[in-house]
Amino acid sequence: MKTFVSLRTCKNYEPESLNNVVETLLNDLGGISSFVKPGDRVLLKPNLLKSATPDEAIVTHPALVEAVAAAVLDVGASVSIGDSPPLGNLSRVLSKSGYDALLQRLPVKVAPFRQKISVEFTDDRLFRKIDLAQEVFEYDCVINLPKLKTHTQMVLTLGVKNLFGTLVGTDKASWHLRAGTDVDTFATVLVQIYEKVKPALTIIDGILAMEGNGPNSGTPRHLGIVGAATDAVALDSVICKLIGHDSTMLRTCVIGNALGAGTSDPEQITVVGDELRGFPLNNFKMPESATVTWNMSDRNPLRRFLQKHMVTVPEIDASICERCGICANHCPPAAIREIHGKMEINRDKCISCFCCHELCSHRAVRIVQPLLGKILTRVIR
Ligand code: SF4
Ligand code: SF4
């Protein structure tokens, strides 16, 4: 059976346009009543990486979340907004990210993810157990609301990656550490989380997207699109094409398809909605990272060579760094230390997860790509 992906244009975040677009997207997929019934408890999971104003394009725009919340409330269901931001508590992040008006206007609850529950997987999965936020499983329906952004480690953060936020607190760092430098291992963790959370629907905010070195320090770019699907793997693969890339560059699409969590096969996907002029893009700026996927033992000397000469690494600009210590506190392998009044990165320990880049509010962490990596990126893309 074919999977439907709906794409609609929406120039701005004006409530009237958004309400219309959300209604149209939902109708394209069978209407809100196909997903939500009266009396249901519905969890909305936006991207709330950190406190950031909507025009920075770091968080899912509150106006889109409000339009979805209003559609769900209209059915007679209750709505909560949940996440586990790596920096700051959820109420503070919501408030600083422009969600106060939404929370005052609509009867929507705030649901910080605090408790953990161990979810188990079958033998054919790489990981047999993952601890996820218990709160996620207390709802009848989860609606996933990602932001369309680039991501220094995973290239893009779209629907599947957005659910990494259902890990509680420091568990995110633990999984980065466990996956190490192998992007496919990390993509597998993300796909397994997606399989368990099983959002009924994913609606992506691509009105003001982010290009360049996202997900925190990229450049906002107006794309004017909103997409929706029941299958986030399919939606992500369609978004890849829209921004001018094959979905094979997004490992969550490749692994999600291989594991049967969704499909990235164009033959299996029907795209409906508006005619999008100017797409696919040919100038969307991807991150300067050249993450190389290989499966070599840590003892293999070739791996050490490749790591040194090809893998993109972070570098801290001491002239900008405020020595707040946030990067060091969140670095999964504890590769960052303050030495003689300067934050230093131990290259032997670094796994290029770019959590430091993601979390530095001062934009003091730069992405540095060795020459060989740059050449490889050009050849691959
Ligand atoms: S988070 Fe940024 S400002 Fe803070 S210590 Fe790290 S690099 Fe410096
Ligand atoms: S230094 Fe930065 S990129 Fe390297 S492991 Fe630590 S957080 Fe990840």
Side-chain angles (χ1 to χ4, degrees), residues 40-111:
D40 274 359
R41 300 181 70 224
V42 177
L43 177 70
L44 306 185
K45 165 62 184 82
N47 184 325
L48 293 164
L49 174 66
K50 57 180 271 202
S51 301
T53 58
D55 57 359
E56 292 177 86
I58 291 173
V59 297
T60 308
H61 201 291
L64 176 63
V65 178
E66 182 163 351
V68 176
V72 173
L73 288 166
D74 273 354
V75 176
S78 64
V79 176
S80 298
I81 298 177
D83 203 351
S84 168
L87 291 183
N89 72 55
L90 180 60
S91 295
R92 200 175 136 90
V93 171
L94 286 167
S95 178
K96 297 217 157 195
S97 302
Y99 279 68
D100 281 345
L102 178 172
L103 294 170
Q104 280 157 15
R105 277 193 287 261
L106 299 179
V108 170
K109 289 190 192 133
V110 173

Side-chain angles (χ1 to χ4, degrees), residues 45-47 49 83-86 113 130-133 136 144 146 151 153-154 157-179 185-194 197 252 332 353 355 358:
K45 165 62 184 82
N47 184 325
L49 174 66
D83 203 351
S84 168
F113 300 158
I130 299 179
D131 287 350
L132 294 175
V136 172
N144 185 22
H151 192 276
Q153 186 195 22
M154 300 306 290
T157 168
L158 306 176
V160 173
K161 168 80 176 61
N162 190 45
L163 298 174
F164 193 53
T166 60
L167 289 171
V168 178
T170 53
D171 281 7
K172 296 181 190 68
S174 310
W175 279 101
H176 271 296
L177 191 58
R178 207 159 154 190
T185 303
F186 190 56
T188 305
V189 176
L190 297 175
V191 169
Q192 287 195 221
I193 293 172
Y194 168 71
V197 175
T252 47
C353 64
C355 291
E358 195 168 317

Side-chain angles (χ1 to χ4, degrees), residues 176-177 312-316 327-328 330-336 344-347 349-359 365:
H176 271 296
L177 191 58
T312 309
V313 289
E315 192 175 85
I316 296 175
C327 56
H330 290 81
C331 172
I336 307 177
E344 301 274 1
I345 297 174
N346 181 335
R347 295 267 172 257
K349 279 186 165 185
C350 176
I351 56 171
S352 288
C353 64
F354 298 106
C355 291
C356 49
H357 178 263
E358 195 168 317
L359 299 178
V365 182

